[in-house]
Amino acid sequence: MLRALDPEAAHALVIKALTWAPMPSPSEDDPRLAVQAFGLRFPNPVGIAAGFDKNAVAPDALLRLGFGFAEIGTVTPRPQSGNARPRLFRLEPDQAVINRLGFNNDGFAAVGQRLAARAGRPGIVGVNVGANKDATDRAADYVAGVKAFGAWAGYFTVNVSSPNTPGLRDLQQKASLDDLLARVMAARERLAPERRKPVLLKIAPDLALDDLDDVVEIARRRRVDGMIVSNTTVGRPDGLRDRAGAREAGGLSGRPLFAASTRMLAETYVRAEGAFALVGVGGIDSGAAALAKIRAGASLIQLYTGLVFRGLGLVDEIKQALLRGLEAGRAGALDEFVGLDAATRTAEPWLA
Ligand SMILES: Cc1cc2nc3c(=O)[nH]c(=O)nc-3n(C[C@H](O)[C@H](O)[C@H](O)COP(=O)(O)O)c2cc1C
């Protein structure tokens, strides 16, 4: 029924429903699904990706639905309306979405108030921060985010990989990234100890491997706590069936992103050499895809587009599949699988 509606209207309806509908009391996760990462304990590894609840309207409802963590945002210091509509497109035959929303969000003050109102409730809520489109000093916007949300965030995500703010992805270049991360990490260190939350860097799947070398080297040197791999792609993989949809400008997500984002995840894993944990995101729409992400190097995973096509039942389906995977592999915990396939994935011909 939702898919018969305009995609943006359907999304707004889902968020409203989450705030209104009586939520089931959350069932306890099997302890074998628990993950320890960035100094935090996640009850299960399945998170809701950034962009789903940009304004922190329903993080508790999402947690009650069974997610192990919820990432809100991207939030920018000042509110923004984003790009002109239409700006969100479903590519039904490809189980994909293209968006060019452009960081539409309510801004730090409004989102901060919502997070403050849930203070003390259980559950990890990460805050994904970005820069305003017209910012003159973009790094300063991220620094402001770390200061604004230190009290409320479970962790921060420094999002330098959205394709819909012109020039934003240039922050992944060596000199800019080093300056950005130096300033963000220094700002965190200046906070009171209880506000020093883990900082994760979220990257694009479209980086050249030479650039990924630099990104991971800088992330390690600046001692970030983890990386999220990946955001949407500006690429249009061969074989997309919705030709007209594929011509829309914006970031592509969903099933056709799986191969590129999983390859990038494995490439990041081998470069990180265990210095920090990774969150794998991009095209997960089944238990098998979730397990493949973990085997490629992810300690945690996140979903967005898979939910559009498969519904919220996907969360439980993945958790059940992970438990079956543990039993089949006679493993006591998921970290025994993390990165097992990274070497073979990185040895495959590029995007075969
Ligand atoms: C409609 C839409 C909006 C998004 N907005 C954001 C955002 O604000 N910040 C961000 O870091 N990622 C954003 N993303 C990217 C997702 O968090 C995720 O990285 C990407 O969609 C790949 O995962 P998926 O294939 O499971 O959707 C957005 C994705 C979609 C589909």
Side-chain angles (χ1 to χ4, degrees):
M1 195 181 81
L2 285 166
R3 293 225 302 280
L5 295 175
D6 157 74
E8 207 166 333
H11 185 73
L13 201 64
V14 168
I15 293 284
K16 270 234 160 67
L18 285 173
T19 61
W20 289 346
M23 282 294 154
S25 30
S27 50
E28 286 275 312
D29 280 313
D30 188 305
R32 289 172 297 167
L33 290 177
V35 174
Q36 201 66 45
F38 330 124
L40 302 172
R41 184 190 181 274
F42 296 78
N44 75 69
V46 188
I48 179 85
F52 189 88
D53 185 9
K54 285 179 186 269
N55 294 311
V57 174
D60 294 296
L62 289 162
L63 292 167
R64 289 172 76 90
L65 283 169
F67 285 103
F69 62 113
E71 184 167 318
I72 63 103
T74 297
V75 199
T76 58
R78 285 168 288 112
Q80 285 190 164
S81 52
N83 293 321
R85 294 186 194 200
R87 53 194 182 173
L88 183 58
F89 308 89
R90 279 188 221 106
L91 281 62
E92 295 271 350
D94 302 301
Q95 306 257 305
V97 162
I98 290 178
N99 93 82
R100 53 169 179 270
L101 295 172
F103 285 171
N104 53 316
N105 78 100
D106 293 347
F108 284 177
V111 171
Q113 273 183 12
R114 279 181 209 127
L115 292 176
R118 72 172 295 282
R121 291 198 202 147
I124 296 171
V125 178
V127 178
N128 178 309
V129 292
N132 275 116
K133 187 178 175 185
D134 59 359
T136 46
D137 177 2
R138 286 194 160 145
D141 282 10
Y142 294 86
V143 166
V146 168
K147 290 186 191 156
F149 296 109
W152 319 120
Y155 65 86
F156 300 108
T157 298
V158 172
N159 175 17
V160 288
S161 46
S162 286
N164 302 312
T165 296
L168 190 93
R169 286 171 303 148
D170 295 344
L171 288 170
Q172 293 173 119
Q173 284 166 14
K174 209 170 168 178
S176 321
L177 184 67
D178 193 47
D179 173 66
L180 171 66
L181 292 181
R183 287 166 67 183
V184 164
M185 299 311 277
R188 183 185 68 171
E189 289 319 299
R190 285 195 296 273
L191 298 176
E194 71 278 7
R195 296 187 175 198
R196 288 179 203 151
K197 305 297 170 58
V199 171
L200 315 186
L201 178 69
K202 183 168 179 180
I203 64 168
D206 306 317
L207 289 170
L209 290 183
D210 285 354
D211 295 329
L212 184 66
D213 289 344
D214 293 335
V215 166
V216 177
E217 186 271 319
I218 293 165
R220 290 179 65 172
R221 188 156 39 77
R222 292 296 173 193
R223 297 184 181 282
V224 305
D225 299 278
M227 286 177 59
I228 304 184
V229 188
S230 73
N231 216 308
T232 57
T233 178
V234 292
R236 297 291 179 265
D238 290 342
L240 289 176
R241 285 158 63 197
D242 184 343
R243 298 273 182 82
R247 279 195 291 275
E248 293 292 347
L252 173 78
S253 57
R255 191 175 286 172
L257 174 61
F258 183 81
S261 62
T262 307
R263 175 68 185 256
M264 202 48 104
L265 172 70
E267 298 283 356
T268 305
Y269 181 83
V270 297
R271 286 163 176 75
E273 296 176 311
F276 44 61
L278 305 177
V279 182
V281 49
I284 299 173
D285 59 2
S286 66
L291 199 54
K293 281 281 187 208
I294 292 171
R295 295 180 64 99
S299 295
L300 298 160
I301 58 171
Q302 290 179 323
L303 317 174
Y304 189 153
T305 306
L307 300 169
V308 173
F309 295 99
R310 302 286 325 283
L312 284 161
L314 179 60
V315 183
D316 213 48
E317 181 187 320
I318 288 175
K319 291 197 284 189
Q320 295 306 324
L322 294 179
L323 284 170
R324 283 196 304 276
L326 283 171
E327 274 153 25
R330 297 181 190 284
L334 288 168
D335 62 1
E336 294 178 39
F337 294 143
V338 175
L340 282 184
D341 294 344
T344 43
R345 279 208 180 256
T346 54
E348 284 166 8
W350 185 245
L351 291 192

